[in-house]
Amino acid sequence: MSHQVREGRIVVISGPSGVGKSTVRKELLRSSPVPLVRSVSATTRPPRPGERHGVDYYFLAEDQFAQLREKGEFLECFQIFGGHWYGTLRQEVERILSAGNWALLEIDVQGARRIRQQNPNAVTIFILPPDEEELVRRLTGRGTESPDRIAERLARMKAELAFAGDYQYQVVNDDLSAAVNQLRQILLEESRKGSTAATE
Ligand code: ADP
Ligand code: 5GP
């Protein structure tokens, strides 16, 4: 990929559903030590109450998503929960990086692998739950999914946890502010290494 020194970095955050990724992300965006901008993904899943187009996701119809996919507009895209598509738009990330900002991608383990292959300079972070029981409590407590959907997400949980070791950093989201502090520290260290460090 590009070796421009001034370009921002891609930061990938993954973790099982319900672990607290979006909660952590919101806090981190408020207090990041680097100019971090969230890359808004596209999805065919329907919006949850309160979710907004262009803010939480670009909510697309199946055929709109398929068209973009055929045109090669995604850096990565996969079918995840309930057969719904999720994807990172090439333009979205390029816009963020070319402005000198760092792009925060909150994506699943398949998407993360694809990004790592394309962009070895990406910073990759996996968010872990304190334990599985707490993860189940958070997922059911959020109350946004039907029992069927919760079962699907729980079934996927163990498979996803097995990928934690593929990431450069693992952060346990037990105490929220401690987890966010750790993320800040990681970004600070990465910014000190500079953008040429990850080419080894
Ligand atoms: P994800 O984006 O990973 O699916 P969410 O951010 O939606 O997860 O969090 C799932 C639930 O867990 C939410 O109800 C959220 O308020 C709660 N939560 C997140 N982080 C913590 C934490 N550190 N301690 C306790 N509850 C948390
Ligand atoms: P949710 O439906 O809870 O918003 O997200 C479900 C899963 O999709 C999460 O694991 C989230 O990280 C992942 N996801 C969100 N956007 C993308 C994306 O653009 N690409 C990929 N590969 N996964 C995504």
Side-chain angles (χ1 to χ4, degrees), residues 110-160:
Q110 309 169 82
R113 190 187 308 128
R114 185 64 54 83
I115 296 290
R116 267 199 309 274
Q117 288 163 352
Q118 295 170 356
N119 195 316
N121 200 28
V123 181
T124 58
I125 305 165
F126 196 92
I127 311 285
L128 290 161
D131 52 58
E132 283 183 18
E133 290 72 29
E134 173 62 14
L135 183 59
V136 173
R137 265 196 298 279
R138 287 185 195 172
L139 192 53
T140 32
R142 191 172 64 187
T144 53
E145 256 68 39
S146 68
D148 270 9
R149 291 276 166 266
I150 288 178
E152 186 188 15
R153 281 167 190 254
L154 291 179
R156 203 184 160 87
M157 169 178 87
K158 283 212 174 91
E160 284 202 340

Side-chain angles (χ1 to χ4, degrees), residues 15-24 106 134 138-139 141-142 153 173-176:
S17 185
V19 76
K21 295 183 297 298
S22 45
T23 310
V24 162
E106 187 198 309
E134 173 62 14
R138 287 185 195 172
L139 192 53
R142 191 172 64 187
R153 281 167 190 254
N173 179 23
D174 190 352
D175 177 69
L176 179 62

Side-chain angles (χ1 to χ4, degrees), residues 42-195:
T43 185
T44 59
R45 106 155 144 66
R48 294 179 186 136
E51 283 186 331
R52 285 182 294 158
H53 180 77
V55 176
D56 298 286
Y57 281 103
Y58 298 108
F59 293 100
L60 304 181
E62 294 274 348
D63 58 338
Q64 289 175 305
F65 197 105
Q67 260 180 25
L68 291 174
R69 188 157 48 91
E70 278 153 27
K71 285 201 286 183
E73 299 278 355
F74 288 107
L75 274 183
E76 59 78 30
C77 66
F78 289 93
Q79 244 176 334
I80 311 181
F81 294 119
H84 296 305
W85 283 90
Y86 294 78
T88 305
L89 290 159
R90 206 175 277 283
Q91 262 190 12
E92 178 84 4
V93 173
E94 279 169 7
R95 188 173 49 76
I96 296 170
L97 296 182
S98 64
N101 292 317
W102 293 38
L104 180 63
L105 277 56
E106 187 198 309
I107 61 179
D108 84 324
V109 294
Q110 309 169 82
R113 190 187 308 128
R114 185 64 54 83
I115 296 290
R116 267 199 309 274
Q117 288 163 352
Q118 295 170 356
N119 195 316
N121 200 28
V123 181
T124 58
I125 305 165
F126 196 92
I127 311 285
L128 290 161
D131 52 58
E132 283 183 18
E133 290 72 29
E134 173 62 14
L135 183 59
V136 173
R137 265 196 298 279
R138 287 185 195 172
L139 192 53
T140 32
R142 191 172 64 187
T144 53
E145 256 68 39
S146 68
D148 270 9
R149 291 276 166 266
I150 288 178
E152 186 188 15
R153 281 167 190 254
L154 291 179
R156 203 184 160 87
M157 169 178 87
K158 283 212 174 91
E160 284 202 340
L161 288 174
F163 287 96
D166 294 349
Y167 289 67
Q168 282 168 289
Y169 299 98
Q170 291 81 29
V171 170
V172 178
N173 179 23
D174 190 352
D175 177 69
L176 179 62
S177 56
V180 174
N181 266 333
Q182 244 182 298
L183 289 167
R184 268 192 224 117
Q185 204 52 44
I186 290 168
L187 296 185
L188 203 56
E189 278 167 27
E190 288 291 339
S191 71
R192 287 183 181 139
K193 282 189 202 167
S195 58

